[in-house]
Amino acid sequence: MQRYSVQLILIALGGLITYLAYEEAIDLYIISVLMFMGVNIIMSTSLNLVNGNMGEFSCGHAGFMCVGAYVSSVLGVLLFSKNKILAAPLLNPEMAVYFFPFIIIAGGLAAALTGLLVAIPSYRTRGDYLAIITIAANYIIISAIENMNIIGGSRGFMGMKRVVNSMEDVLYLPWMVIWVFVFTIGTVWLLRRYTSSTFGKGVNAICQDEVAAEIMSVNTNKMKTITFMLSSGLAGVAGGLFAYIIGYVNPGSFNILKSTEAMVMVYLGGMGSLSGAVIAAVLFTLLTEGLRFADVLLHYLWFVPDSWHYSQVWKWVIIPLILIILMQFRPEGIMGNRELSDLFPGLKRFYKFK
Amino acid sequence: MQNTQAPSSTSVLEIRNMTQRFGGLVAVSDFSINLGKNQLYGLIGPNGAGKTTVFNLISGFYQPSQGRIFINGRPTAGLKPHKVTALGVARTFQNIRLWNDMSVLDNIRVAQHGALDYGFLQAVLRTRSYRDCEARIEKEARELLTFFELDQYANELPTNLPYGLQRKLEIVRALSEKPKLLLLDEPAAGLNSVDAIELIRLVKWIHENFDISILLIEHHMDVVMELCSQIKVIDFGQTIAEGDPEEIRNNPAVISAYLGDDTI
Ligand SMILES: Nc1ncnc2c1ncn2[C@@H]1O[C@H](COP(=O)(O)OP(=O)(O)OP(=O)(O)O)[C@@H](O)[C@H]1O
Ligand SMILES: [Mg+2]
């Protein structure tokens, strides 16, 4: 029983949030912050797999998020909502409630295939070169979508709210809250299982000494391919959820700044620490929302013009500043490369999160 | 002409006329060797002679510019190192290359990558094949550590071990892959004389107790003379002598390669 307490707590937590959202007992704003937290957890843990566990330097994570967001959005809208491209939905909108998780997974698969293209140069290059390649990939993806007028180009794409609405019409539940929760837990659980297996530890071996790994029987190219595809696929899942939470996507929201956010979370949490990546994502979400809140407070001052939005301006001063301070005083991040259970071995009695 | 013959069926390692060039530098030139079962073969030569390069060529890290390599009768041409390892070769490195952020036990476990009978999906779904395989690997790894009296360090990081034990662990990690051929690159390098003697004794013991052939690079002539039945001496990539310890000891080319600079 004790060993299942994490599972029980998670189920209780998920149930509670869902219930509160259902009863509209908590503010919609807080609900959306919680959902962005989930998306951020998926982003940071999945990037941590490549940048932390494998020790590569991928800088274009938002590119994969973009692929996932667009594929699940376009797919969902074409299938379950009237749209500009095909006019009528391909399937009965009532079906959306069953197909939604598959739409998200389809976005993840598309992103994973894109990740495959980035995995190939990683066979030969590491470090700076790979960083440049992934940044380039990020730009290529965004520019490609900006030039696809059929899905809205740089104006963006919408209609996802209608899909969510038709899900709610069938059965009124806070579907997005539920699915974000499920996919977030699923991601962490998947990554935990992968990295704790002997197979997945090959990724750490590559990070520490790639030559030794290859010579000691690790198929390094295969491991890199799997790891890149898993990481980018999960970013695609995050993108799909993000698109359906907001109900609108545009290529600009997946630019290099978004990739940087994911990297900041990884470095904040500690390279290679899964629990660190989760903690960092939670803190990061609270911080960015806190800035927004500070902005609201500032506007109570009479001399602050209404049109000024400090949080957006200062966000990219404060976040890099945090990074600099972190690198100065705790370069290994909040958790270093340890997990919560390494810091508190007593915790192990309480869970079997594998 | 010799190159076209089939590899000898009894040899564990056969190299024919192997040459390796790095740009203009010929690091290994026309190198041939034939290692039988359970043989302990010594490879010696002055600094920069090309010994480590020979190991890198055998393990598939470089593809030879010329010549062919057979392991247990199978050609290694075009194989990636992990595939060469799968043919039954394991090695250690001149500068220890353990995975230092992983426990001693995990160092042994990850070296079983080639012998895993499950993949990504099974790992994530924790299927029966996954659990059985992990249980087997863990059991064997612990047994091996106990066998070599390293079990008390199972959960330590390698860097916390004394240097001599790190050298030993690297050999144990190589052995854990159940190789038919073990390549040891200066296993006693950097050790004080007491630890070095201990380590050499370990090599001898492994040779006597495991069904394995060993190719040993070692700087100390006396050690090689004592351990090895056959010795090959290279200098500037060229083979300058080969034979049993007695022949090597009296070979004028060897004496001048090793003592040449001093006697001038
Ligand atoms: N990748 C490489 N590129 C260029 N030159 C190399 C490379 N690897 C080795 N060499 C050169 O090949 C020669 C042989 O090197 P090797 O490391 O095989 O010598 P060694 O016999 O192992 O020497 P030591 O006793 O110092 O370990 C040296 O001159 C070295 O500089
Ligand atoms: Mg050497």
Side-chain angles (χ1 to χ4, degrees):
Chain A
M1 196 61 192
Q2 222 180 28
R3 297 174 73 199
Y4 293 98
S5 29
V6 168
Q7 280 88 334
L8 293 177
I9 290 171
L10 285 177
I11 291 169
L13 186 69
L16 180 72
I17 297 173
T18 310
Y19 176 76
L20 291 177
Y22 178 75
E23 292 287 336
E24 290 171 19
I26 38 177
D27 200 69
L28 267 182
Y29 167 71
I30 294 179
I31 300 267
S32 73
V33 171
L34 287 176
M35 289 195 285
F36 287 132
M37 211 177 259
V39 170
N40 278 343
I41 290 175
I42 300 177
M43 284 301 280
S44 73
T45 51
S46 58
L47 183 63
N48 180 48
L49 180 67
V50 167
N51 285 25
N53 293 80
M54 196 153 71
E56 302 273 6
F57 196 49
S58 167
C59 300
H61 212 45
F64 305 116
M65 190 184 185
C66 184
V67 172
Y70 266 86
V71 169
S72 15
S73 299
V74 172
L75 195 64
V77 169
L78 286 184
L79 289 176
F80 302 113
S81 150
K82 50 184 192 338
N83 53 72
K84 288 201 186 96
I85 305 168
L86 299 173
L90 288 169
L91 298 174
N92 184 342
E94 285 178 5
M95 302 292 281
V97 75
Y98 305 109
F99 278 93
F100 183 74
F102 299 105
I103 289 174
I104 297 294
I105 289 171
L109 290 177
L113 288 179
T114 321
L116 179 63
L117 297 181
V118 176
I120 292 164
S122 83
Y123 298 161
R124 312 198 115 255
T125 55
R126 278 196 88 127
D128 303 347
Y129 296 104
L130 194 73
I132 292 163
I133 289 170
T134 48
I135 291 173
N138 197 159
Y139 274 107
I140 291 170
I141 291 164
I142 291 178
S143 309
I145 291 176
E146 276 174 349
N147 286 299
M148 285 187 216
N149 280 320
I150 190 156
I151 52 171
S154 55
R155 279 167 292 120
F157 183 82
M158 57 178 134
M160 288 76 87
K161 270 275 170 332
R162 282 198 296 276
V163 177
V164 178
N165 286 343
S166 56
M167 286 159 70
E168 289 176 351
D169 288 344
V170 177
L171 178 62
Y172 184 75
L173 277 178
W175 285 112
M176 284 318 297
V177 174
I178 295 172
W179 284 120
V180 170
F181 191 80
V182 168
F183 277 108
T184 306
I185 303 298
T187 297
V188 177
W189 171 86
L190 193 75
L191 289 170
R192 166 106 184 118
R193 284 193 157 186
Y194 180 52
T195 54
S196 65
S197 68
T198 297
F199 183 67
K201 278 179 187 152
V203 173
N204 281 36
I206 291 174
C207 173
Q208 290 162 45
D209 191 332
E210 187 172 341
V211 170
E214 175 71 35
I215 286 182
M216 302 315 290
S217 82
V218 178
N219 186 343
T220 51
N221 283 357
K222 181 176 151 198
M223 291 310 291
K224 285 181 181 179
T225 311
I226 291 176
T227 306
F228 262 109
M229 287 182 76
L230 179 61
S231 166
S232 47
L234 290 172
V237 166
L241 293 170
F242 178 81
Y244 279 87
I245 295 169
I246 301 192
Y248 163 79
V249 280
N250 100 9
S253 18
F254 304 103
N255 61 13
I256 206 78
L257 281 183
K258 191 83 187 169
S259 297
T260 311
E261 281 184 21
M263 285 165 66
V264 170
M265 289 188 274
V266 171
Y267 294 112
L268 191 64
M271 304 284 273
S273 166
L274 186 58
S275 29
V278 174
I279 293 170
V282 171
L283 290 180
F284 186 84
T285 317
L286 294 178
L287 177 80
T288 43
E289 291 309 319
L291 284 178
R292 211 185 291 275
F293 190 61
D295 200 56
V296 174
L297 285 184
L298 270 179
H299 282 98
Y300 283 113
L301 299 174
W302 55 271
F303 56 84
V304 176
D306 282 350
S307 58
W308 287 23
H309 290 292
Y310 295 97
S311 73
Q312 294 318 305
V313 180
W314 288 95
K315 185 176 170 186
W316 287 106
V317 173
I318 292 172
I319 291 171
L321 206 62
I322 291 176
L323 261 192
I324 292 171
I325 294 171
L326 190 76
M327 290 302 132
Q328 281 296 314
F329 296 103
R330 202 174 160 81
E332 73 275 26
I334 298 172
M335 300 289 291
N337 63 0
R338 290 158 304 183
E339 297 295 340
L340 268 184
S341 57
D342 299 331
L343 291 185
F344 308 104
L347 278 177
K348 278 192 181 127
R349 271 189 295 134
F350 294 103
Y351 74 75
K352 198 173 152 280
F353 192 61
K354 277 191 178 176
Chain B
M1 321 146 259
Q2 209 188 19
N3 263 347
T4 53
Q5 282 167 16
S8 146
S9 58
T10 52
S11 65
V12 172
L13 170 69
E14 187 177 347
I15 299 179
R16 291 184 196 155
N17 312 98
M18 175 174 76
T19 296
Q20 175 68 4
R21 295 187 197 91
F22 294 114
L25 177 87
V26 185
V28 176
S29 165
D30 202 23
F31 183 95
S32 298
I33 200 171
N34 202 326
L35 224 77
K37 282 199 170 64
N38 299 325
Q39 205 175 355
L40 207 170
Y41 206 122
L43 182 60
I44 61 176
N47 282 345
K51 305 177 297 289
T52 300
T53 306
V54 169
F55 273 21
N56 287 339
L57 286 159
I58 298 173
S59 42
F61 189 63
Y62 303 134
Q63 294 291 331
S65 316
Q66 268 157 38
R68 307 184 70 185
I69 305 170
F70 299 90
I71 288 161
N72 290 316
R74 310 261 291 276
T76 68
L79 294 185
K80 293 214 56 192
H82 73 271
K83 292 270 188 210
V84 176
T85 303
L87 295 179
V89 196
R91 69 173 283 189
T92 65
F93 300 89
Q94 190 168 354
N95 315 306
I96 303 180
R97 298 186 89 147
L98 292 161
W99 298 299
N100 284 326
D101 289 338
M102 246 186 246
S103 70
V104 166
L105 183 66
D106 279 349
N107 265 272
I108 307 286
R109 276 210 280 226
V110 171
Q112 312 311 306
H113 236 253
L116 293 180
D117 26 79
Y118 69 87
F120 173 75
L121 272 184
Q122 287 94 325
V124 170
L125 298 173
R126 301 271 140 130
T127 58
R128 160 136 240 130
S129 63
Y130 166 83
R131 282 177 280 135
D132 290 350
C133 183
E134 290 281 319
R136 194 196 77 226
I137 286 173
E138 161 126 26
K139 180 165 161 284
E140 287 179 1
R142 285 193 186 278
E143 278 170 6
L144 200 66
L145 287 177
T146 311
F147 194 64
F148 285 95
E149 293 166 348
L150 288 168
D151 45 326
Q152 57 191 347
Y153 302 105
N155 297 319
E156 292 282 347
L157 296 181
T159 36
N160 295 340
L161 268 58
Y163 196 72
L165 290 186
Q166 293 186 33
R167 286 257 175 227
K168 184 173 174 182
L169 175 60
E170 215 193 14
I171 297 177
V172 174
R173 179 177 71 171
L175 280 178
S176 75
E177 299 186 324
K178 304 188 182 99
K180 287 280 165 244
L181 171 65
L182 181 63
L183 310 175
L184 299 175
D185 195 346
E186 299 197 27
L191 297 182
N192 63 38
S193 53
V194 178
D195 288 350
I197 290 169
E198 177 126 346
L199 208 105
I200 294 304
R201 216 176 272 149
L202 176 76
V203 172
K204 192 171 178 176
W205 185 81
I206 290 170
H207 176 235
E208 284 161 1
N209 290 280
F210 282 69
D211 178 25
I212 203 167
S213 310
I214 299 176
L215 184 56
L216 173 73
I217 296 179
E218 179 49 62
H219 240 75
H220 300 91
M221 277 281 237
D222 42 340
V223 171
V224 183
M225 295 291 174
E226 190 197 318
L227 284 181
C228 305
S229 57
Q230 281 286 310
I231 296 167
K232 191 187 254 310
V233 190
I234 58 177
D235 191 15
F236 293 112
Q238 306 278 348
T239 303
I240 57 171
E242 60 184 308
D244 59 36
E246 202 52 39
E247 289 170 293
I248 298 296
R249 208 187 309 271
N250 300 322
N251 188 309
V254 178
I255 296 169
S256 80
Y258 267 85
L259 305 172
D261 295 347
D262 300 274
T263 47
I264 291 169

